[in-house]
Amino acid sequence: MATTVKNLMASDTKVLQSYLGGKWQVGAEGGAALVNPTTGDALARASSRGLDLKSALEYSRNVGGAELRQLTFGQRAELLGKIADVLASGRDEWFEIARKNSGNTKADASIDVDGSIGTLKYFAKIAAKLGNARLLRDGAPMRLARDANFQGLHVGVPLDGVAVHINAFNFPAWGLWEKAAVSLLAGVPVLAKPATSTAWLAQEMVSAVIEAGILPPGALSILCGSPNDLLDHLQLGDVVAFTGSADTGESIRQHKGIRQQNVRVNIEADSLNAALLGPDVAPDSVAFGFFVREVVREMTIKAGQKCTAIRRVLVPAERAAAVGEAIAALLRAVVVGDPANPLVNMGPLVNMTQRKTVEEGIRKLKAQAEFAYWPEDFSPMDANLEKGAFVPPTLLKARSGSDAAIVNELEVFGPVATVVPYRDKENAFELARRGGGSLAASVFSNDTAFLAEAGVALGTTHGRLLLVDPSIGDSHTGHGIVLPSLMHGGPGRAGGGEELGGLHGLWFYHQRVAMQGSAATLASLAEQSCDPAAE
Ligand code: NAP
């Protein structure tokens, strides 16, 4: 598969095209540069200037939506399976792009690329059993009045608009396909807007799927470059699923047209995720080892550029020194450098802007905490520190939970975490909740009753809780890994969104209608529908 199939080469710079209105299009001169974060070299350019986004949305709605909604869930599930196969066959190419444009090691790229293929396969499999249905249903018809023939049923009708998916830079593959899988399955066409800095991978994957001719016309579009006036043309029936920073999420929510028309919006934003060591866990115990390993893994995978990564390490005050030393010992062994070298465990951040932002963030954290690990003689392997976006893994330690307010406010989107001592379990839960609403937290303890208590105490402020006792220490899927079968999202600061969650995720792309009618009418609707909760 040629990497440049849909990319123009002009003046030696690759130009990413957008697939809109059923054809490849390129924006006017200018736009933003995509770089290799290891070397600083320019890789491509993306511009959306002058593209007719109103027409593109109309085409998706009128052509793509109409075509998709003629298909049953079972037929759409087959399409997802075929997309997964096409993507699996291009895996090596995707890994190469992820290395060049995102600075990914093979392990990093696997989370993004294999995660996207796995998610598509998962939905292809679980949706196959929905068969010929084209509607959703919630429960069974219920009697509403004295006349037993008068009944009610909640039915989900697929939205007749377009799903605009706006994604963050850190998961150009997974972010694209985890959203598209659910949307396409629901019968709603997708217009994907990857983050410009890493759009190359998303664009090549879409190109491969379009070329394979799997999807009906208009079902899948991609906009490379800035969003321009995209949101201005949204209307009733459209949805926006956004992943990115809290600030951008807020500006989308406040967009006048979106507000006035109540366009449905799902926000996945940033998060100050915590890992909590139970009061019972002794240093050098098995549970302690699992905890320390997980923190280090979360700090270093994708150089800490994961929305779910552990930022706050909550530990009993008397264990803070031991935890700091144990994490530092593992961080010392992490090899940072050019991800092309197989010895390297951690690559650069995505670009120099992110490096500066993270360095500034470390400075701000440092004002209220001290370094527990920070290599003064940092020198990335096979790379030039002046040109590459490298930041060393950095561990800080706060004097106390109440001394370091900034730890609960500032998301430093890199390989950075802070150890925060707590007094007792109530104080630990209170500190975890100070994140203001988080995507994920993990709690490590030998005491399953404590883990269950923590689950309830942290439940209102978290979207996902990983409760680890040593019996699952080696078998759990990880603090930061989002699973297609479970809901992804978190309250408050994390955006208040919900994605995935198996077939429950389909509801976001359907209008839930309270249908009232005779038993025969509702039986007819029930026949055309399926209940995701029952599958
Ligand atoms: P970002 O700067 O907010 O950008 C996210 C996306 O929004 C990009 O595609 C960006 O396009 C687009 N965008 C920017 N301004 C926009 C506007 N006014 N209207 C519509 N779209 C707009 O975030 P990022 O730097 O890419 O990603 C890092 C952040 O994402 C971190 O805070 C991280 O925690 C969060 N994140 C959250 C999750 C989650 O699932 N909750 C997952 C991953 C990342 P351009 O690139 O063209 O500017």
Side-chain angles (χ1 to χ4, degrees):
M1 209 176 301
T3 307
T4 51
V5 177
K6 288 293 168 249
N7 294 330
L8 297 177
M9 299 290 284
S11 323
D12 288 338
T13 308
K14 192 195 307 285
V15 181
L16 299 190
Q17 293 199 55
S18 295
Y19 190 70
L20 301 168
K23 43 183 196 293
W24 290 101
Q25 307 184 29
V26 66
E29 281 297 301
L34 283 72
V35 298
N36 180 333
T38 304
T39 60
D41 295 341
L43 293 170
R45 189 171 66 73
S47 165
S48 54
R49 275 203 216 158
L51 297 179
D52 183 350
L53 302 182
K54 183 169 189 277
S55 300
L57 288 165
E58 278 165 6
Y59 182 82
S60 298
R61 267 180 220 119
N62 300 336
V63 179
E67 296 258 357
L68 276 173
R69 285 194 304 279
Q70 280 178 18
L71 305 176
T72 64
F73 281 116
Q75 288 169 322
R76 292 182 217 135
E78 275 177 35
L79 299 182
L80 298 187
K82 287 180 186 166
I83 294 174
D85 291 342
V86 165
L87 295 182
S89 70
R91 192 170 170 271
D92 291 347
E93 185 185 344
W94 317 139
F95 272 52
E96 187 62 6
I97 297 174
R99 178 182 68 76
K100 285 187 182 154
N101 191 195
S102 295
N104 280 185
T105 62
K106 281 211 161 120
D108 295 338
S110 173
I111 297 179
D112 194 21
V113 172
D114 294 331
S116 60
I117 297 167
T119 300
L120 283 157
K121 283 189 174 162
Y122 169 83
F123 279 104
K125 188 167 171 218
I126 60 163
K129 59 190 172 207
L130 302 183
N132 292 330
R134 287 191 179 82
L135 301 170
L136 295 183
R137 134 180 120 245
D138 187 358
M142 63 190 118
R143 182 177 165 171
L144 296 176
R146 185 173 295 173
D147 176 4
N149 188 33
F150 179 56
Q151 299 188 351
L153 176 68
H154 286 114
V155 173
V157 179
L159 299 178
D160 57 4
V162 54
V164 171
H165 293 167
I166 302 175
N167 288 318
F169 72 77
N170 54 340
F171 283 106
W174 177 81
L176 167 68
W177 296 112
E178 59 98 15
K179 288 188 175 79
V182 184
S183 184
L184 293 172
L185 185 58
V188 180
V190 171
L191 193 157
K193 197 334 248 161
T196 303
S197 54
T198 56
W200 182 18
L201 177 55
Q203 197 260 12
E204 290 291 349
M205 286 178 136
V206 167
S207 173
V209 171
I210 298 293
E211 292 227 335
I214 298 166
L215 290 168
L220 180 61
S221 307
I222 185 166
L223 171 64
C224 295
S226 86
N228 292 341
D229 58 350
L230 180 68
L231 302 182
D232 298 344
H233 307 298
L234 298 183
Q235 62 184 46
L236 175 67
D238 297 334
V239 296
V240 179
F242 166 81
T243 299
S245 64
D247 287 348
T248 311
E250 179 60 13
S251 77
I252 290 174
R253 228 194 278 277
Q254 295 305 329
H255 181 277
K256 194 171 168 203
I258 288 181
R259 252 191 313 119
Q260 285 179 344
Q261 299 179 78
N262 263 328
V263 170
R264 198 176 288 180
V265 176
N266 192 75
I267 305 269
E268 297 294 345
D270 63 29
S271 182
L272 289 159
N273 314 292
L276 195 164
L277 184 71
D280 63 298
V281 181
D284 301 325
S285 66
V286 173
F288 189 88
F290 285 135
F291 177 79
V292 168
R293 189 185 68 183
E294 195 59 21
V295 172
V296 171
R297 193 155 60 177
E298 284 295 309
M299 287 178 69
T300 53
I301 294 176
K302 285 182 86 60
Q305 299 167 109
K306 249 160 65 273
C307 54
T308 48
I310 294 168
R311 308 288 175 206
R312 301 177 299 147
V313 185
L314 307 182
V315 300
E318 65 277 16
R319 306 258 195 268
V323 170
E325 281 159 24
I327 295 173
L330 293 189
L331 291 179
R332 217 164 275 130
V334 173
V335 181
V336 183
D338 183 347
N341 186 331
L343 293 176
V344 164
N345 315 112
M346 191 180 104
L349 300 182
V350 74
N351 55 33
M352 279 297 191
T353 308
Q354 281 301 115
R355 175 176 160 181
K356 284 196 189 93
T357 307
V358 167
E359 287 171 344
E360 181 57 25
I362 293 172
R363 267 192 290 281
K364 286 182 182 161
L365 291 176
K366 181 72 175 38
Q368 295 185 18
E370 62 194 40
F371 283 134
Y373 178 73
W374 187 76
E376 281 188 33
D377 54 350
F378 176 58
S379 166
M381 184 179 273
D382 294 348
N384 181 340
L385 189 53
E386 300 300 311
K387 294 186 175 164
F390 294 94
V391 171
T394 303
L395 185 71
L396 295 108
K397 190 161 86 59
R399 279 174 296 278
S400 77
S402 42
D403 271 4
I406 193 163
V407 175
N408 306 310
E409 289 159 12
L410 181 68
E411 182 202 44
V412 181
F413 207 59
V416 183
T418 305
V419 175
V420 181
Y422 69 76
R423 287 188 308 276
D424 50 30
K425 66 180 180 185
E426 282 74 24
N427 183 222
F429 298 153
E430 192 247 325
L431 289 171
R433 286 193 291 254
R434 274 200 213 165
S438 305
L439 294 168
S442 51
V443 188
F444 288 68
S445 172
N446 299 298
D447 179 353
T448 53
F450 170 74
L451 291 172
E453 183 184 354
V456 176
L458 303 182
T460 54
T461 47
H462 289 79
R464 182 166 59 81
L465 291 165
L466 173 66
L467 308 170
V468 184
D469 70 75
S471 71
I472 55 163
D474 265 329
S475 58
H476 70 77
T477 47
H479 166 102
I481 298 295
V482 175
L483 299 171
S485 50
L486 290 180
M487 190 268 288
H488 171 56
R493 174 185 183 135
E498 283 192 4
E499 274 182 353
L500 300 170
L503 295 174
H504 294 283
L506 288 169
W507 280 108
F508 179 66
Y509 297 98
H510 286 74
Q511 178 61 38
R512 187 190 299 263
V513 188
M515 299 281 190
Q516 294 174 293
S518 70
T521 303
L522 295 192
S524 166
L525 283 166
E527 250 173 50
Q528 301 169 52
S529 62
C530 57
D531 184 349
E535 297 300 333

